[in-house]
Amino acid sequence: MSRPISPAPDGRALRSQRNREAIVDAMLELIEEGSQQPTAEQVADFTGLGIRTVFRHLSDSERLFEAINARVSAEAAPLLQAARPEGDLRERVKMLVRVRSRFFERVAVYKRAGALKRWRSPFLRGRHGALVKELRMDLLRWLPELEGESSNLIDALDLLTSFEAWDRLRTEQDLGQKRALATIERSVLALVGEFAPA
């Protein structure tokens, strides 16, 4: 019995996919270079695509945000997931803070750019909320001693190890990475000292 012949790929669909990938590449590069809200003109210049083509893809912003998020997540998520909690409480606190600082440094430009558009993007709001929950669960993975502790203590540690705390130290307070890391590490160690066994 002969096998059914698969339809040839639609040339327009393939071209549209290639254009979308080029636009995602451009957006990532422009954001990395410091343009938190790349314009259609910047993207067109970067990609060599016509301005109408760029506008058409940029108008489907939710799909574009999904593609950008997928790329950033594929690179940055392993920075959080690869490390394994080992050692005593103090050693795990220090490693947790180091792991998060590397992750936050990698995603910072994208988080700042996303924050500018989050209010009008259901996708970005959803991803932000999901990351907040993931980081809180990850906190308990690193510090299982927190299970059963007061929610105020967990909330405080969650805040101290958040992107927002890291970003404030790096941008508003203009601290270098080492000083920001030392500041958060000292704060977290002081808090966990309240419930650490003697």
Side-chain angles (χ1 to χ4, degrees):
M1 188 163 89
S2 62
R3 296 176 61 185
I5 298 172
S6 299
D10 183 328
R12 283 180 303 176
L14 287 174
R15 185 166 58 253
S16 180
Q17 178 63 33
R18 282 195 304 270
N19 289 345
R20 186 178 304 109
E21 291 296 317
I23 289 168
V24 170
D25 289 342
M27 294 288 286
L28 289 167
E29 186 71 28
L30 290 165
I31 291 169
E32 284 276 351
E33 290 174 0
S35 177
Q36 292 191 342
Q37 297 192 74
T39 65
E41 290 79 10
Q42 287 175 304
V43 173
D45 287 345
F46 192 96
T47 59
L49 296 171
I51 194 74
R52 287 175 59 191
T53 298
V54 172
F55 268 122
R56 189 166 59 250
H57 285 281
L58 292 183
S59 67
D60 189 2
S61 58
E62 291 295 277
R63 217 166 146 199
L64 192 59
F65 294 153
E66 285 182 45
I68 290 170
N69 179 74
R71 292 266 201 96
V72 174
S73 294
E75 181 186 339
L79 295 174
L80 280 180
Q81 297 160 357
R84 295 283 173 262
E86 294 178 347
D88 64 22
L89 181 61
R90 186 178 180 83
E91 291 168 333
R92 281 181 282 122
V93 164
K94 289 183 171 186
M95 180 58 74
L96 165 67
V97 174
R98 281 196 297 272
V99 166
R100 292 220 174 165
S101 70
R102 285 195 293 268
F103 174 74
F104 292 152
E105 281 296 304
R106 184 65 198 100
V107 301
V109 291
Y110 304 110
K111 288 286 289 171
R112 292 177 197 129
L116 297 174
K117 298 185 179 290
R118 192 188 309 147
W119 65 275
R120 60 187 172 107
S121 167
F123 174 78
L124 291 177
R125 283 197 303 277
R127 276 307 306 142
H128 176 73
L131 179 61
V132 168
K133 288 178 184 172
E134 287 165 23
L135 290 175
R136 189 177 180 102
M137 288 174 56
D138 189 59
L139 178 65
L140 297 173
R141 178 175 75 95
W142 281 91
L143 307 175
E145 296 91 337
L146 292 176
E147 293 285 0
E149 289 295 326
S150 97
S151 57
N152 287 344
L153 177 60
I154 298 171
D155 291 341
L157 290 168
D158 194 19
L159 173 64
L160 281 173
T161 57
S162 68
F163 172 77
E164 289 74 17
W166 179 259
D167 198 43
R168 181 192 165 107
L169 291 172
R170 296 286 283 122
T171 58
E172 302 301 318
Q173 294 180 224
D174 200 25
L175 301 188
Q177 289 184 47
K178 288 175 79 170
R179 189 168 164 193
L181 189 149
T183 300
I184 291 177
E185 184 180 283
R186 180 174 182 176
S187 302
V188 174
L189 284 170
L191 268 182
V192 299
E194 294 181 12
F195 73 90

